[in-house]
Every structure is written in C-alpha cells, then in structure tokens.
Amino acid sequence: TSDENGFAGGLAVEREIDGISLMAIAEYAHFSDAEGVQGQDRDYLSGGVQLGWQGWNLALTAASRDTDGGTDDTVFQVSAGYAFDFELSIDAAWKTVDEGDVDSQTVGVLAAYTFEF
C-alpha cells in the first residue's frame, strides 16, 4: 500500500448582464496513489454554467474522470426550470453517463414548494 495524496482547485464566477444571471464553475482534482494503490492516479475535471432570467433557469454540467490503467468516465447533464412567484419551482433534467464502458441515461422532474416559518 501507499499514501494517497491529492489536490483540488476550483473557480466560480457570477455575473449579471442585462437582467440575465450567469454563473460558471470549473474544478480540477488530482489524486496520486488513489485508494492507497501505488501508481494508480486519478484526474477529475468538471465544469458547468447556469443561466437565469425572470424565474427561468438553464444549467449545463459536464465531468470526466481519467484513471491510470482503468476506464475513463464521463457525465453530461442539462436541466431547465421555472420558479413561480408563489414559492413553487418546477425543474426537469436529463443526464447521460458513460462509466466503465456502460452507458446510462436518466430523466427526472423536481417540484419544490418553500414554506416560510
């Protein structure tokens, strides 16, 4: 076995331009001797962007994992939704994953109501 060492760095930026909010994120992480296995390195890269306008939102994210001697995995996701003035929001999303050469897709819907007390 070996000691696992790693580091990660990220950046997030948020701006508003002509009533449209924009948030972008990016992150990179590296692990040497992952899970205590000597010579097993892993790299993770992820990024995303979210747009908002008058209650509407749209988000795109992507991530990848690169492993030495193993499989490379990817995830891509897109979601959109609307937040009503009366504390109800509805969002729908689609995600596709390629993990270990197995492809899968997911579709989901979220309805949320906020209670203030």
Side-chain angles (χ1 to χ4, degrees):
T1 62
S2 180
D3 289 339
E4 177 181 39
N5 294 298
F7 66 88
L11 178 66
V13 177
E14 191 169 357
R15 298 280 186 261
E16 186 163 332
I17 303 168
D18 294 330
I20 298 173
S21 64
L22 168 67
M23 183 172 67
I25 61 168
E27 181 182 51
Y28 172 76
H30 173 79
F31 297 93
S32 297
D33 299 337
E35 298 176 9
V37 178
Q38 189 171 12
Q40 179 173 278
D41 296 341
R42 292 196 179 143
D43 294 292
Y44 296 83
L45 179 62
S46 59
V49 63
Q50 180 179 11
L51 298 171
W53 176 73
Q54 296 184 359
W56 292 96
N57 72 76
L58 173 67
L60 304 167
T61 59
S64 68
R65 176 175 63 181
D66 180 30
T67 59
D68 286 347
T71 59
D72 297 332
D73 305 324
T74 58
V75 177
F76 176 76
Q77 178 265 206
V78 61
S79 64
Y82 186 77
F84 295 93
D85 291 338
F86 51 90
E87 307 302 326
L88 174 68
S89 63
I90 299 176
D91 294 274
W94 170 73
K95 175 178 75 172
T96 181
V97 178
D98 178 3
E99 185 174 30
D101 294 328
V102 175
D103 295 332
S104 63
Q105 297 187 25
T106 305
V107 174
V109 176
L110 170 68
Y113 186 82
T114 303
F115 293 96
E116 292 188 30
F117 55 93

